[in-house]
Amino acid sequence: MVVMTTVRRAVLTLPAAPVGPPNPLPALRPLDEMHAIDERAKQELPREMARQIGYEPLRTLLPVRVLDGYGRERTESPLDAIVIENERLRVTLLPGLGGRIHSLHHKPTGRELLYRNPVFQPADFALNGAWYSGGIEWNIGATGHTTLSCAPLHAAIVPAPDGGEMVRLWEWERLRDLPFQVDLWLPEDSDFLHVGVRIRNPHERPAPVYWWSNIAVAENETTRVLAPADEAWHFGYERSLRRVPVPEFQGADRTYPLRSEYPADYFYEVPAEARKWIASLDADGHGLVQTSTDALRGRKLFLWGSGRGGRRWQQWLTEPGTGGYAEIQAGLARTQLEHVRLDGGEEFSWLESYGPLAADPGLVHGDDWDAARAEAGARLADALPREAVDAAYEAWRPFADTEPGERLATGSGWGALEVLRAGHKLPGTPFDESTLGEEQAPWRELLRTGVFPAPRRVVPPGPSLVATHWRDMLETAPAEPLTEYHLGVAQWHAGDLAQAVRSWERGLELAPSRWPLLRCLAVADREGGHTTRAAERYAEAFDDLCQERRDDGATWTSATAALGREAIAALLAAHRTAEARAVWDRLRPAVQQRGRFRLIDAQLLIAEGRKTEARAIFDAGFDVADLREGTEILEEVWSQLTDEPLPEAYDYRMRPSGG
């Protein structure tokens, strides 16, 4: 008997570390993003690629907030899941965590086609911090992992093209102010999951768009990644991009992820006329293949490599004894350093398909690259012809506007606020007023009355909105201190730094809560090279916060930790070590014991000439939960203490030392 495709809610229980509260300080600067290249390197690139690399890179993370309040302690936790299932495949996705596909299980063979992380452990890889590894991730926004990695999406059941049911995920992507949707359906008795994606620009102005579907696949010594390409663009975390041959590069076959020592990206140069696909196959020629319509032109392999740093990162992202993984990806551009222009009123849409692939292992793992990729391509053509993918896309398009039925999950209220403001008509992706919440409330009041309301109790400021239309409303609203604070944040985001400083200074004159404005002015001073004044303002801001904070709850603790961390860094940069130590001493003991602050304590001790005590912190051991991808801070601090090799526990190097 044929099993019909079903969609159901489920609960997935995993050892999980809580994401924690958002950092309440506005992200006036982006977190370090490794995918950037030097200006001189762009001169050697194809014109289109160079133009798209230079097209509106992020100046800030606004209006998104940083997520850095997680730790390393995991407890068994229930996670909401949605299961799509037919006779051949069982798909498990997590609507509360970016809509990620956690598992793609092929029933006839009993194979898990993805790398399925056995834990949920946030780490500092997303554009705004918290991210986790495993499964299939939908990356939208800007170069890097999406700010929605650990955020809830709206989810509902909608009719599928074949008469069954499919799951729609949708949200408002706030970095670029664009709504998007991801429709997942599993045709009856099919080995392939179809995924229809649409990004719309409801504005009159053009917008930069970024999309990469990120697929984690299990790896071992025999794992090989295949794509229809003879060349690739190599990015090796030295901030350079260069064209290299495929598969051999620098004496090794780089299509085997473990034959590289250091982490690297290989963006495959897939010919325009070629079918777009990428596959990861094991020693027996079995594995996962992803293919799409031609709009999704890019294909990429990311590998951690076999070196100590890459292995350490893999352990960090999961738990001891878990196998490693590589990532195969598909994107709108050739590389992940690029943004693609989407004109006002227009949209991008495409269809992706995911399923099992079985190929002749002798050909797949042979020395003849042409034969290997031809074999994989031929087996894909047998399993899912190119014409079938194009037909599935055409069948899906009329259903993209279908209004959702039964709701399965609820995302944020930011899309509802934008629809309320502008009256956008977005068939298929309703952003209901019922989703508006506490964070949107003051902005809804500004929209309704022209006045930004004062808070009813003493709390850190809520999130700022920075788009032009909100900035215009703030400029015409009564010039209260909180309004000036938010206006300055919006002006800073727009690049009008001098006007932002003037707004913050005006707000400071009458502000009952001074520390948020002082902190913004301190950031402006640091950016302007005014190191001493920045240190003074940070010290004053931290003192004001300590006097104002009302309790030891999550919000005030997060604000104190975030501002204290920035203040100590600014004071050390100004060689005001005693004042930096005074900030440290006023942090809560629980904050002082976090790994990040143990590292800060070591830096303070070094500045105080107490290297023996700083070394003792390393010897005792600590984990910096929010260690940033690509950071070399542990090596830098260690080298100030000793000439000894960096201990393995602290070795997260993604490139050769000094590279």
Side-chain angles (χ1 to χ4, degrees), residues 138-286:
W138 318 113
N139 283 304
I140 182 174
T143 297
H145 290 284
T146 178
T147 62
L148 295 167
S149 291
C150 295
L153 303 189
H154 301 283
I157 294 176
V158 294
D162 61 357
E165 295 179 332
M166 65 181 174
V167 172
R168 173 163 300 155
L169 305 170
W170 74 99
E171 232 326 338
W172 194 279
E173 200 290 309
R174 301 179 66 211
L175 290 179
R176 303 306 194 182
D177 239 0
L178 302 176
F180 73 98
Q181 71 189 77
V182 179
D183 289 355
L184 306 100
W185 88 96
L186 196 53
E188 188 177 308
D189 201 32
S190 172
D191 278 320
F192 283 84
L193 171 71
H194 292 322
V195 180
V197 181
R198 177 166 64 168
I199 304 170
R200 286 186 276 195
N201 182 0
H203 311 292
E204 294 181 358
R205 54 172 171 78
V209 171
Y210 174 93
W211 182 281
W212 282 81
S213 301
N214 183 357
I215 309 140
V217 290
E219 68 169 8
N220 56 42
E221 296 290 344
T222 62
T223 301
R224 193 176 203 189
V225 172
L226 300 105
D230 291 317
E231 294 182 310
W233 293 93
H234 171 264
F235 182 84
Y237 294 85
E238 297 94 357
R239 297 191 183 274
S240 64
L241 191 65
R242 54 178 167 165
R243 195 191 298 257
V244 300
V246 176
E248 294 279 340
F249 172 52
Q250 292 183 339
D253 187 332
R254 306 299 177 175
T255 61
Y256 290 89
L258 288 177
R259 294 186 187 177
S260 295
E261 182 177 3
Y262 289 96
D265 296 323
Y266 290 90
F267 300 102
Y268 294 113
E269 189 68 37
V270 179
E273 69 281 0
R275 184 179 186 180
K276 308 303 185 288
W277 61 270
I278 190 167
S280 173
L281 303 179
D282 63 16
D284 298 325
H286 292 275

Side-chain angles (χ1 to χ4, degrees), residues 350-368:
W350 63 89
L351 184 123
E352 307 179 43
S353 298
Y354 297 83
L357 190 68
D360 183 332
L363 292 173
V364 165
H365 295 285
D367 294 333
D368 187 335

Side-chain angles (χ1 to χ4, degrees), residues 284-338:
D284 298 325
H286 292 275
L288 171 81
V289 65
Q290 186 270 2
T291 187
S292 71
T293 49
D294 287 352
L296 204 65
R297 64 179 292 188
R299 292 299 185 275
K300 170 194 165 181
L301 162 65
F302 167 75
L303 53 88
W304 283 108
S306 58
R308 201 167 74 165
R311 296 296 95 195
R312 184 72 182 100
W313 272 118
Q314 295 238 33
Q315 296 166 9
W316 184 252
L317 295 170
T318 180
E319 62 181 7
T322 302
Y325 75 96
E327 294 170 0
I328 57 176
Q329 304 188 22
L332 280 175
R334 282 189 287 187
T335 75
Q336 286 179 331
L337 288 73
E338 302 170 66

Side-chain angles (χ1 to χ4, degrees), residues 448-461:
R448 188 178 67 85
T449 67
V451 177
F452 196 90
R456 296 178 180 177
R457 55 193 174 92
V458 178
V459 292

